[in-house]
Each structure stands twice: as structure tokens, then as C-alpha cells.
Amino acid sequence: MPKELDLSAAENCVCFNLRWVTRAVTQFYDAEMRRHGIRPTQGPILESLKTKDSWNMAELSDWLGMERTTLVRNLRPLQRDGLVRVSGGGRGRLVELAITAKGRKQIEKLAPAWKSAQRAAVKTLGEKRWSAILSDLETAALALNK
């Protein structure tokens, strides 16, 4: 019989525990991916930019569920390294984002490291368990963001 949680206890805080686990998983993926010069927080940005020719900052921020300031912080090194092209902006103009040919090549180089991390993480959790967790997290995110 499962133990009933004391939801008023700090150690059972949903936010704290999800952030703690997220930091641990991010550090694990980072160890796999850093040799390619991409952080786990930057990979989804490049992958998203790869899906269509041009995004504006607001679209990408919304798509990723990421604050714009966080997106800008993650874009700077990608732009500096020539993986992402940023244009426009200033005085109400939209900032347009696009992946470069170099960025596409970087994603290809990164794919085996990401896949290795993904396989290890799913193996640790179990495929059925991960599928259930992912479904539960999606349901919770949708319910909490109404």
C-alpha cells in the first residue's frame, strides 16, 4: 500500500522536486553533449529552428515554453558560433531567427550523443514508465496552464 504524502511538508513540494530532477537530468545530458559545444538547453532550440525556414522570437519562445530572456541567453552562443542567424529587431520590429548550414551540421554531429543520453535515461526509467510519466507531465502542464 503506497504511503500517503504529507503535501504540506516542504520535501514533498512538487515544484522543488521537479526542478531538482530536471537539474540532475540536465547535468547527465550535458556530460554527453558538451563535447559538441552544445548544451542540452540549446539542442531543442536548434531542432526547432530546423523545422521551418524562419521563426520570430515570440513564436519560438512560445513553442519552447521558454521565457524570452532565457531564449536570448541560450541563443547568444549559438549566434556567436554561427549556428543561428538573428536579424531584425529594434523599435518594435520582429526578431527573425533561422538555423544556418553550420547549425544543421552541428545537429547531425550532436545526434549520436543525444541519442546515447536518451537511451540511457529511458533505460533507467523503463520505457513503459517513461511513457506514463511523459503522459502525466503533459496532462499536468495543460491543466496548470489553463
Side-chain angles (χ1 to χ4, degrees):
M1 187 162 154
K3 178 181 149 187
E4 189 169 324
L5 289 178
D6 176 3
L7 295 178
S8 67
E11 67 268 12
N12 294 325
C13 174
V14 173
C15 185
F16 169 78
N17 281 284
L18 287 174
R19 291 180 62 84
W20 174 65
V21 169
T22 299
R23 284 189 296 273
V25 170
T26 300
Q27 290 168 2
F28 174 74
Y29 274 72
D30 190 50
E32 290 289 320
M33 297 168 65
R34 78 172 70 135
R35 67 181 178 269
H36 298 285
I38 301 292
R39 309 261 340 220
T41 53
Q42 296 167 328
I45 294 170
L46 287 175
E47 284 291 342
S48 296
L49 290 174
K50 195 174 84 170
T51 64
K52 65 182 194 173
D53 290 337
S54 180
W55 291 78
N56 68 50
M57 186 74 75
E59 289 173 330
L60 188 58
S61 173
D62 290 346
W63 172 256
L64 293 168
M66 188 181 285
E67 293 290 328
R68 289 188 195 167
T69 55
T70 303
L71 179 57
V72 168
R73 192 171 48 253
N74 282 286
L75 279 168
R76 282 189 188 125
L78 298 172
Q79 182 182 12
R80 178 198 66 219
D81 296 342
L83 307 176
V84 171
R85 186 179 65 256
V86 179
S87 57
R91 291 225 165 252
R93 292 184 47 215
L94 289 177
V95 175
E96 297 290 329
L97 307 167
I99 192 169
T100 64
K102 184 177 178 182
R104 289 179 188 280
K105 287 179 187 169
Q106 192 70 14
I107 285 286
E108 288 174 23
K109 285 192 243 178
L110 176 67
W114 177 83
K115 286 177 183 177
S116 172
Q118 183 75 356
R119 275 191 304 272
V122 171
K123 183 178 179 184
T124 298
L125 292 166
E127 195 169 324
K128 285 182 183 177
R129 187 170 174 209
W130 170 238
S131 181
I133 291 168
L134 185 57
S135 177
D136 290 347
L137 289 172
E138 289 171 355
T139 300
L142 291 172
L144 292 170
N145 285 310
K146 281 186 176 180

